[in-house]
């Protein structure tokens, strides 16, 4: 890992270094208001959010599974944390973040990150669209005053004008100025206008001071007993799951945009290590940030240097540049985030919505809606469950049989399709033990038994024919199936040359038979 890290830095040309560093600076400027805002949501000090953005961002940039990704404090985690902070205090939050990191490291060690491949494409589209809507809605707070009322009059016009100007500069800069990150150009020009003309608009400093020192190491001041564990574990588990889901989906998205691969398990370990360290240094924890990652990618950031630079710039802002950064108008950063929304939303989904299966369209809309209404973790879980149910229903309808008479008293059933829990009802309806002749052959050459429910259905079928006084022959079942069948096992005809070989995950004789790849 570290050899790859050093070699990737050595391979950079001066132009690449310039692009990566400027991308990091752009991300760092956009990170400040978000980290402060998420800290406010979680009811903790602004520096708690900033330290999390620095530490999580730095560690994941150095050892994460996808160069170019940006991590830090996020709103998806902040909304879960607030209840814990209000009821038990910030020290319990730090302990929760440490345990959250340990759970994420375990997920990486056991290679659970590979299960992200089980997320269907409609869920991915719904995730992207929902998150774009969430980012858009999150900017509404910038159009309100300190009392929570909507801006009006000249204040509103200035905010809208500066936001629109930032978006125009970013659009033109990305089209005509390739040597400089367009988002950074927009921030600098609009900031210069606001500061030069001393315009009365909201600035970063209005959210809270970002001035501070280096984070200090400290063990969370909580009792080390089972009661504490019972308090923090549920939060840690939820935060770990949400953090990994958002990080791995962001990893897949960035990998798709940059046409490169990412390491899911490595990202799990990196996120976990970052959160463990963050908890011991007074940070609120974090995960991958799709908005900041998109800013980085759109600004040209492709390597670990951009994420590392962003984290170091953020630390420099905290230590030395707080007075300057606090002068940046929020309108400029809002404009940047609006352009992120435009670039993140999958506009093609409107074009394909009537061309894809209705079930996929429903999942896409459902995940987008749940992402906005609840949070990303719940949305993805709901989307995967619904997609799995749809798949099971579709697969259950595919089992069928072609029948023929081989002799006067011998009937052949040639099965086609998978036999599993969802298709056993259709499987049972195929056969007619009372009306069939004395000798019946069931051929599984074009069928596969997927689970224990399928085996039980075969057992039940054997019992039905036995009760009817008929002879049943089962052909082209694997040796594994034969050994697991109870009543029907003796009815299986073995053909060494033709019989398929595939494993089934069932609990047999007190042990778990591991699933193996299916091979005919």
């Amino acid at each position: 890992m570290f050899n790859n890290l050093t070699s990737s830095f050595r391979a950079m040309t001066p132009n690449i270094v310039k692009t990566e560093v400027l991308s990091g600076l752009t991300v760092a400027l956009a990170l400040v208001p978000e980290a402060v805002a998420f800290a406010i949501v979680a009811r903790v000090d602004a520096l708690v959010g900033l330290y999390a953005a620095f530490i999580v961002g730095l560690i994941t940039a150095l050892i994460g599974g996808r160069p170019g990704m940006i991590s830090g404090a996020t709103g998806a985690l902040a909304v879960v944390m607030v209840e814990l902070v209000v009821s038990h205090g910030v020290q319990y939050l730090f302990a929760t973040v440490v345990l959250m990191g340990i759970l994420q490291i375990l997920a990486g060690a056991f290679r659970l990150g590979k299960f992200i491949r089980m997320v269907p494409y409609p869920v991915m589209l719904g995730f992207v669209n929902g998150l774009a809507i969430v980012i858009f809605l999150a900017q509404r707070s910038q159009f309100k005053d300190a009392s929570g009322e909507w801006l009006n009059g000249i204040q509103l016009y200035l905010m809208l004008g500066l936001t629109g100007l930032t978006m125009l500069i970013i659009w033109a800069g990305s089209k005509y100025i390739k040597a400089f990150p367009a988002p950074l150009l927009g921030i600098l020009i609009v900031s210069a206008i606001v500061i030069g003309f001393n315009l009365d608009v909201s600035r970063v400093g209005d959210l809270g001071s970002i001035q501070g020192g280096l984070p200090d190491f400290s063990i969370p001041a909580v009792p080390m007993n089972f009661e504490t564990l019972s308090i923090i574990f549920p939060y840690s588990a939820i935060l770990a799951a949400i953090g990994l889901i958002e990080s791995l989906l962001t990893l897949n998205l960035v990998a798709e945009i940059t046409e490169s691969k990412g390491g899911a398990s490595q990202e799990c370990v990196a996120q976990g290590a970052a959160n463990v360290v963050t908890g011991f240094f007074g940070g609120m924890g974090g995960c991958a940030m799709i908005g900041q990652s998109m800013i980085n990618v759109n600004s040209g950031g492709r390597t670990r240097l951009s994420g590392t630079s962003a984290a170091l710039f953020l630390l420099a802002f905290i230590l030395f540049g707080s007075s300057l950064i606090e002068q940046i108008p929020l309108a400029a950063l809002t404009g940047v985030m609006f352009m992120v929304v435009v670039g993140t939303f999958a506009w093609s989904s409107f074009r394909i919505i009537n061309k894809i299966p209705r079930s996929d369209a429903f999942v896409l809309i459902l995940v987008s809606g749940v992402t906005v209404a609840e949070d990303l973790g719940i949305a993805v879980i709901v989307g995967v469950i619904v997609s799995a149910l749809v798949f099971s229903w579709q697969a259950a309808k595919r089992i069928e049989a072609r029948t023929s008479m081989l002799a006067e008293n011998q009937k052949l059933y040639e099965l086609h399709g998978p036999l599993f829990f969802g298709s056993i009802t259709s499987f049972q309806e195929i056969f007619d033990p009372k009306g069939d002749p004395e000798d019946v052959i069931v051929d599984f050459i074009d069928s596969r038994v997927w689970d224990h429910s399928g085996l039980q259905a075969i057992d039940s079928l054997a019992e039905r024919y036995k009760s009817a006084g008929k002879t049943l022959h089962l052909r082209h079942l694997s040796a594994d199936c034969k050994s697991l069948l109870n009543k029907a096992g003796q009815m299986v005809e073995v053909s060494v040359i033709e019989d398929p070989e595939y494993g089934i995950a069932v609990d047999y004789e007190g042990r778990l038979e591991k699933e193996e790849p299916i091979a005919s």
Side-chain angles (χ1 to χ4, degrees):
M1 180 187 298
F2 292 102
N3 289 336
N4 293 336
L5 178 62
T6 54
S7 62
S8 64
F9 282 125
R10 289 173 183 168
M12 294 182 188
T13 64
N15 283 336
I16 293 177
V17 171
K18 182 193 74 171
T19 301
E20 297 291 328
V21 171
L22 290 178
S23 296
L25 176 58
T26 307
V27 170
L29 291 172
L31 269 174
V32 172
E34 290 212 348
V36 174
F38 294 147
I40 294 172
V41 169
R43 307 288 180 87
V44 295
D45 187 77
L47 284 175
V48 175
L50 291 168
Y51 287 152
F54 161 62
I55 297 172
V56 174
L58 179 63
I59 294 176
T60 55
L62 291 173
I63 64 173
R66 169 63 262 174
M69 275 177 58
I70 303 298
S71 298
T74 65
L77 300 182
V79 295
V80 177
M81 296 172 177
V82 60
E83 183 180 351
L84 175 66
V85 174
V86 170
S87 59
H88 294 90
V90 71
Q91 292 298 321
Y92 277 83
L93 172 62
F94 298 151
T96 299
V97 171
V98 172
L99 181 57
M100 163 192 173
I102 293 173
L103 294 176
Q104 291 176 326
I105 291 174
L106 291 175
F110 287 105
R111 307 186 69 82
L112 299 183
K114 64 184 178 182
F115 288 105
I116 197 66
R117 70 185 67 172
M118 301 300 293
V119 177
Y121 191 67
V123 175
M124 187 69 178
L125 275 181
F127 153 74
V128 170
N129 290 349
L131 212 51
I133 296 172
V134 169
I135 295 173
F136 175 81
L137 295 177
Q139 307 312 308
R140 292 180 302 173
S141 61
Q142 311 302 343
F143 292 86
K144 296 180 179 180
D145 57 26
S147 63
E149 298 293 328
W150 291 102
L151 298 176
N152 55 65
I154 188 64
Q155 290 289 327
L156 178 61
Y157 299 143
L158 276 175
M159 186 68 184
L160 290 172
L162 293 172
T163 299
L165 177 61
T166 305
M167 296 175 69
L168 180 62
I169 293 171
I170 294 174
W171 173 81
S174 61
K175 196 171 184 179
Y176 301 108
I177 304 175
K178 303 296 184 181
F180 200 83
L184 180 57
L185 183 66
I187 293 172
L188 292 177
I189 291 177
V190 173
S191 297
I193 292 173
V194 170
I195 295 173
F197 289 94
N198 195 27
L199 299 179
D200 183 20
V201 295
S202 298
R203 309 188 187 193
V204 171
D206 295 332
L207 297 176
S209 176
I210 67 169
Q211 184 176 10
L214 289 171
D216 297 321
F217 175 84
S218 64
I219 297 175
V222 297
M224 300 296 177
N225 53 35
F226 181 78
E227 182 182 356
T228 299
L229 181 62
S230 65
I231 293 172
I232 68 174
F233 183 80
Y235 291 99
S236 296
I238 294 171
L239 291 170
I242 293 174
L244 289 183
I245 290 172
E246 185 162 354
S247 297
L248 294 176
L249 288 177
T250 303
L251 181 145
N252 281 354
L253 180 63
V254 173
E256 181 179 334
I257 293 173
T258 59
E259 298 182 352
S260 58
K261 295 182 179 180
S265 296
Q266 183 177 341
E267 184 65 26
C268 292
V269 173
Q271 292 288 338
N275 282 309
V276 169
V277 175
T278 302
F280 284 121
F281 280 89
M284 61 183 283
C287 63
M289 308 177 72
I290 186 171
Q292 307 303 330
S293 297
M294 293 300 297
I295 291 175
N296 188 44
V297 170
N298 292 337
S299 299
R302 293 292 187 278
T303 71
R304 300 189 184 278
L305 181 58
S306 57
T308 305
S309 300
L312 294 178
F313 275 125
L314 186 59
L315 179 63
F317 296 161
I318 296 172
L319 297 178
F320 313 112
S322 59
S323 59
L324 182 61
I325 300 302
E326 288 171 5
Q327 297 303 311
I328 295 176
L330 292 176
L333 300 175
T334 302
V336 171
M337 297 311 296
F338 278 155
M339 291 303 289
V340 168
V341 170
V342 173
T344 300
F345 195 91
W347 300 101
S348 61
S349 57
F350 290 117
R351 187 181 69 253
I352 66 173
I353 196 73
N354 292 323
K355 300 178 181 179
I356 61 178
R358 291 183 179 179
S359 58
D360 287 347
F362 172 73
V363 170
L364 193 161
I365 297 171
L366 176 66
V367 173
S368 299
V370 177
T371 299
V372 175
E374 296 293 334
D375 62 59
L376 171 65
I378 294 176
V380 172
I381 292 172
V382 168
V384 171
I385 291 174
V386 173
S387 297
L389 291 174
V390 169
F391 171 78
S392 297
W393 179 257
Q394 295 294 335
K397 296 189 296 183
R398 291 176 185 165
I399 191 162
E400 56 186 15
R402 184 170 61 247
T403 61
S404 60
M405 295 298 294
L406 300 181
E408 183 178 349
N409 291 320
Q410 191 175 62
K411 186 175 183 179
L412 173 65
Y413 288 89
E414 293 180 283
L415 287 180
H416 303 271
L419 179 57
F420 68 111
F421 70 91
S423 62
I424 57 175
T425 300
S426 300
F427 171 78
Q428 291 168 348
E429 292 174 350
I430 291 173
F431 303 96
D432 181 19
K434 293 182 179 179
D436 282 343
E438 298 297 322
D439 204 30
V440 176
I441 301 173
V442 181
D443 195 337
F444 287 82
I445 188 64
D446 292 324
S447 180
R448 290 292 181 270
V449 184
W450 283 0
D451 61 7
H452 192 219
S453 296
L455 294 173
Q456 186 60 41
I458 297 174
D459 259 347
S460 176
L461 180 67
E463 183 64 27
R464 289 168 62 194
Y465 275 99
K466 183 179 178 181
S467 299
K470 309 292 176 67
T471 303
L472 179 67
H473 306 272
L474 306 177
R475 290 181 180 174
H476 296 114
L477 280 173
S478 70
D480 203 29
C481 285
K482 181 181 178 182
S483 66
L484 293 171
L485 287 169
N486 295 324
K487 302 181 182 65
Q490 299 303 316
M491 302 176 187
V492 178
E493 296 181 2
V494 179
S495 172
V496 176
I497 297 177
E498 298 180 358
D499 283 354
E501 294 182 4
Y502 57 92
I504 303 170
V506 295
D507 192 8
Y508 181 65
E509 291 185 356
R511 70 181 186 277
L512 181 67
E513 298 287 345
K514 293 184 179 179
E515 184 178 4
E516 300 170 359
I518 294 175
S520 295

